[in-house]
Amino acid sequence: MNVAAKPRKTTFKHVEAEWYNYYHTLNEINRLREEITFPFREVDDENTGGGKSNLPGNPTERIATRLATNKKLEYLNEIAEAIEKVYNALPDDYKKLVRLKYWNRSNKLTWEMIANELHVSKRQAMRWRDDIVFATIEVLGWR
């Protein structure tokens, strides 16, 4: 019998924080793409006697290379895609929990209030939360 190892508490908290910050992550992805695609100022190499640059000569290729190799953008995309994949696979009740717990602007709902809204017990709502976070951890391949 293969039992999945329980994730570390810090991993659980980190993934839960990513759910809370999902829309901030999307905004950061858009900001980074914009910054890479339209840099404030392109620095030209004035080294006339040196060797060739390792960057492609075509500006479109250069932008594509920067987009493909930016570590922060890659990391944020991985997080956003994992959250989207898990969210899209959730049943409607779980999706409602996500909207109430993580994506609610006021963020003042207690577990009791969320459970009431979902017509389940507080413990059941927390089990659903655990399922959502564990599924996200699995999609990300974290431990």
Side-chain angles (χ1 to χ4, degrees):
M1 182 165 102
N2 189 5
V3 176
K6 185 176 176 184
R8 294 181 294 192
K9 188 175 182 178
T10 54
T11 304
F12 187 94
K13 294 286 187 188
H14 183 149
V15 169
E16 198 170 28
E18 294 295 351
W19 276 93
Y20 279 115
N21 293 315
Y22 174 68
Y23 288 106
H24 296 292
T25 301
L26 294 180
N27 289 336
E28 180 72 5
I29 288 169
N30 289 333
R31 187 192 64 74
L32 275 172
R33 281 190 179 138
E34 188 81 18
E35 206 173 88
I36 291 168
T37 306
F38 305 107
F40 176 69
R41 182 174 58 108
E42 190 77 29
V43 179
D44 291 328
D45 187 10
E46 297 295 328
N47 185 7
T48 55
K52 290 185 176 184
S53 169
N54 64 347
L55 293 174
N58 187 335
T60 305
E61 291 173 3
R62 191 176 310 138
I63 290 169
T65 301
R66 286 185 191 144
L67 285 170
T69 59
N70 187 293
K71 295 283 188 190
K72 185 174 184 179
L73 185 60
E74 183 181 337
Y75 173 75
L76 294 174
N77 274 325
E78 180 184 5
I79 298 289
E81 288 170 6
I83 288 173
E84 289 166 9
K85 181 176 182 179
V86 170
Y87 182 79
N88 290 332
L90 292 175
D92 289 339
D93 291 338
Y94 283 57
K95 288 180 179 180
K96 188 171 182 181
L97 182 139
V98 167
R99 289 189 303 270
L100 291 171
K101 180 66 179 165
Y102 300 116
W103 298 343
N104 185 359
R105 293 271 185 214
S106 68
N107 206 16
K108 295 181 181 176
L109 296 176
T110 63
W111 277 111
E112 289 83 11
M113 296 163 76
I114 292 170
N116 271 346
E117 191 73 29
L118 296 170
H119 308 292
V120 296
S121 69
K122 173 185 171 186
R123 185 65 209 130
Q124 184 63 40
M126 294 178 83
R127 276 191 211 104
W128 290 358
R129 182 254 343 241
D130 293 350
D131 292 344
I132 292 165
V133 173
F134 291 158
T136 309
I137 290 169
E138 190 169 318
V139 168
L140 288 168
W142 292 357
R143 57 184 182 102

